[in-house]
């Protein structure tokens, strides 16, 4: 009978060990999940604050303002007078910038007419020259909007037509 009792004790002890290991494993998994969640929460606020400006900018709709009518200027080539016609549209995400551009339309148009008329035919004959002119025009508009609002809230400037003759 001693043998039977020790077998019963061994059998009853074995499931207790299994249950203890299982409980220990479940607790281990719970601890790992809590640590991972805590680590995520520690990192998440930094990521959210770092991208707040870009996320807010992307959340606002793009606003386009065509500068109508198209710009028509003449400029000198080596031996003849040439004409340039450029359609311009500006893009922003800020309604205040749109209003500032509307209010400053004569100033913007003057700055762009001066810029476009100072170009050379050779400088505008290739894509690189057009891109350089586009960047200069964007800078000019940004400066005017910045003077008006305190922020250069113009995100892009597009040539919607470009004709040289």
């Amino acid at each position: 009978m001693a043998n039977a009792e020790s077998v019963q004790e061994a059998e009853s002890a074995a499931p207790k060990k299994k249950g203890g290991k299982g409980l220990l494993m479940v607790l281990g998994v719970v601890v790992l999940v809590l640590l991972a969640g805590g680590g995520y929460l520690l990192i998440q606020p930094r990521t959210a604050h770092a991208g707040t400006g870009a996320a807010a900018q992307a959340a606002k709709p793009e606003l386009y303002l065509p500068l109508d009518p198209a710009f028509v200027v003449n400029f000198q080539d080596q031996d003849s007078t040439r004409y340039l016609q450029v359609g311009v549209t500006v893009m922003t995400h800020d309604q205040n910038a749109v209003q500032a551009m509307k209010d400053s339309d004569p100033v913007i148009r003057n700055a762009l007419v001066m810029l476009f008329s100072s170009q050379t035919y050779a400088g505008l004959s290739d894509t690189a020259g057009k891109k350089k002119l586009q960047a200069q025009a964007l800078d000019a508009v940004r400066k005017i909007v910045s003077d008006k609002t305190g922020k250069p809230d113009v995100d892009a400037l597009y040539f919607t037509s470009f004709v040289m003759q």
Side-chain angles (χ1 to χ4, degrees):
M1 208 149 144
N3 267 346
E5 285 179 15
S6 49
V7 169
Q8 282 179 350
E9 286 178 21
E11 286 178 359
S12 64
K16 286 182 183 176
K17 286 184 180 179
K18 271 189 175 178
K21 284 185 181 178
L23 182 61
L24 186 60
M25 288 181 68
V26 169
L27 286 175
V29 169
V30 169
V31 168
L32 285 175
V33 168
L34 289 175
L35 286 174
Y40 175 77
L41 291 176
L42 286 175
I43 293 171
Q44 183 61 25
R46 291 182 193 154
T47 306
H49 291 297
T52 300
Q57 189 81 334
K60 292 182 180 179
E62 295 175 342
L63 304 170
Y64 295 94
L65 177 67
L67 301 180
D68 288 328
F71 294 85
V72 180
V73 297
N74 58 343
F75 58 96
Q76 279 300 117
D77 193 14
Q78 292 175 351
D79 48 74
S80 64
T81 300
R82 295 203 175 254
Y83 297 94
L84 173 67
Q85 178 183 355
V86 183
V88 176
T89 298
V90 291
M91 189 270 291
T92 183
H93 289 92
D94 187 3
Q95 185 62 42
N96 293 333
V98 171
Q99 190 59 47
M101 287 184 281
K102 287 179 179 179
D103 294 344
S104 301
D105 184 64
V107 178
I108 291 172
R109 293 189 70 79
N110 178 64
L112 293 180
V113 164
M114 294 299 174
L115 177 64
F116 295 152
S117 63
S118 68
Q119 302 303 305
T120 64
Y121 182 78
L124 297 176
S125 294
D126 61 352
T127 304
K130 290 177 180 86
K131 286 184 178 183
K132 181 180 176 188
L133 178 61
Q134 183 182 23
Q136 290 172 337
L138 177 60
D139 289 341
V141 173
R142 279 182 174 162
K143 182 182 180 323
I144 294 166
V145 171
S146 179
D147 289 346
K148 184 94 171 161
T149 65
K151 299 181 290 186
D153 284 333
V154 179
D155 298 316
L157 181 138
Y158 302 104
F159 291 153
T160 54
S161 67
F162 198 95
V163 179
M164 291 192 308
Q165 185 176 2

